[in-house]
Amino acid sequence: MTNLSVLGARLGPKQAVDRLSTRIRELSTDRQFALGIVVAFPPVLAHLWFLRTGPSFLTGLLLAGSCAGCGIGSWFLRPWFESLTGKEQRRITALPMIGYVGLGSLFVLCSLTVASSGRWVSSALLIAAWVAHSSYGASFEPSSAAYERLRGRLGRAAPMRLAANWTGTCGLLLALTYAWERPEYKGSSLSVAATLVIAGVVASLRVLARARRLRTRLDEEATDVIQKLQTLRHASEDDRAARDAAEAAWEKLRRTLGSRIETGITFSGVTVLPASTRRELHHAVSRDIRTSGADQKAHRKLLARLRMIRVACAGRMDTAA
């Protein structure tokens, strides 16, 4: 402790922190991993323990401590994570999505079991699950290794949206059972229930059709961009028409990459590629068009990314959709 205070007095706070972080990074990966576990887990366990038994002010302090511990612990764990292979990193970063699907399924199952004793409560919980997925479900989709994960991203969005929509529909049907039990409302409640089911089927078909059309557009537009970039690379420097054609083709693909896979709503749904990946790809395409593909290494890397988009769509397209 004395050495740290002396170090801080000599170098200043920022320099002392930089020196300390450098010394920690000089440790082995296993030691940094152990330090990360020690820093992250005890505050979280203490917070979970005092959540039911401790006073409210202490619970709030432990919540802040657990958040800080997880943040610092992730810094310690970063070298271990970066030492893993790309496949292992993708598995780890997929855990939030796996946990979201598992916990969401468990929540819906528990909500359905409550229906026998409290239909209003079960109905409210099912509708709340639909609202939560529509508002925040896309945030659990992993953003790392976006091109490698694109096939799964395209394949998961529509089924998860259908599951969420039918969860909300079941909640509404449960609420209608109260009107069904009253003779004067039995006929109208039956027609409303039939309308809800038919609307759910139609909406489900539209979601699946949208996902198929989006894959088809992605394949066509990515192919067009690849062809235009190849043409521009072999064109003369004064060929403005080839450059304009490449820019127009990329603009169409750029808009499609920012579209929602399963919905046409701007604030709900999963985009084809994360925003950070779209910005990176936009800069790469703009640079390649500006230089007419002069940087051969960057040009090949860009074409490889565009081909990965095509591969992700292969086998699940419908040109007649």
Side-chain angles (χ1 to χ4, degrees), residues 38-72:
V38 171
V39 171
F41 275 86
V44 174
L45 296 176
H47 175 250
L48 294 176
W49 174 260
F50 280 94
L51 192 61
R52 297 184 59 183
T53 61
S56 57
F57 76 92
L58 186 57
T59 303
L61 291 176
L62 287 173
L63 174 60
S66 62
C67 293
C70 289
I72 298 172

Side-chain angles (χ1 to χ4, degrees), residues 3-138:
N3 293 334
L4 289 177
S5 61
V6 173
L7 183 63
R10 289 180 178 177
L11 300 177
K14 186 178 184 302
Q15 291 80 2
V17 171
D18 293 340
R19 180 70 64 84
L20 180 61
S21 62
T22 302
R23 290 184 178 181
I24 292 174
R25 287 300 187 223
E26 291 174 354
L27 298 175
S28 64
T29 303
D30 294 337
R31 289 187 177 181
Q32 293 186 58
F33 179 86
L35 287 173
I37 296 298
V38 171
V39 171
F41 275 86
V44 174
L45 296 176
H47 175 250
L48 294 176
W49 174 260
F50 280 94
L51 192 61
R52 297 184 59 183
T53 61
S56 57
F57 76 92
L58 186 57
T59 303
L61 291 176
L62 287 173
L63 174 60
S66 62
C67 293
C70 289
I72 298 172
S74 64
W75 183 82
F76 281 104
L77 295 175
R78 185 182 301 170
W80 168 80
F81 179 78
E82 293 176 349
S83 66
L84 300 175
T85 62
K87 187 175 182 179
E88 291 171 336
Q89 290 181 5
R90 290 195 292 272
R91 287 176 178 174
I92 291 176
T93 52
L95 288 178
M97 174 58 67
I98 297 173
Y100 173 72
V101 173
L103 291 176
S105 302
L106 181 61
F107 180 85
V108 171
L109 181 61
C110 294
S111 300
L112 290 173
T113 57
V114 176
S116 58
S117 57
R119 283 174 291 181
W120 278 118
V121 175
S122 179
S123 173
L125 291 175
L126 291 175
I127 295 174
W130 170 74
V131 172
H133 178 78
S134 300
S135 303
Y136 306 107

Side-chain angles (χ1 to χ4, degrees), residues 149-156 159 208 211-216 310-319:
R149 282 198 168 107
L150 182 56
R151 188 175 184 85
R153 191 181 183 96
L154 293 171
R156 281 189 300 269
L208 294 175
R212 291 196 302 271
R213 285 197 303 269
L214 186 64
R215 293 190 191 99
T216 305
R310 293 193 60 202
V311 170
C313 302
R316 291 184 287 183
M317 295 179 292
D318 187 356
T319 55

Side-chain angles (χ1 to χ4, degrees), residues 263-307:
T263 69
I265 307 173
T266 57
F267 58 86
S268 178
V270 180
T271 56
V272 177
L273 287 178
S276 58
T277 305
R278 296 199 307 270
R279 287 193 298 269
E280 180 186 353
L281 184 60
H282 176 69
H283 294 323
V285 173
S286 300
R287 183 170 55 251
D288 195 78
I289 293 175
R290 187 171 59 253
T291 61
S292 299
D295 189 343
Q296 188 174 0
K297 183 178 180 181
H299 179 76
R300 289 181 177 177
K301 184 177 180 180
L302 174 59
L303 294 186
R305 292 176 177 177
L306 294 172
R307 291 190 181 103

Side-chain angles (χ1 to χ4, degrees), residues 157-159 161-162 165-166 198-215 260-265 318 321:
R161 174 64 59 172
L162 295 184
N165 288 348
W166 281 107
I198 294 173
V201 172
V202 173
S204 300
L205 294 176
R206 292 194 66 178
V207 168
L208 294 175
R210 177 184 175 83
R212 291 196 302 271
R213 285 197 303 269
L214 186 64
R215 293 190 191 99
R260 308 283 173 169
I261 299 172
E262 75 281 29
T263 69
I265 307 173
D318 187 356

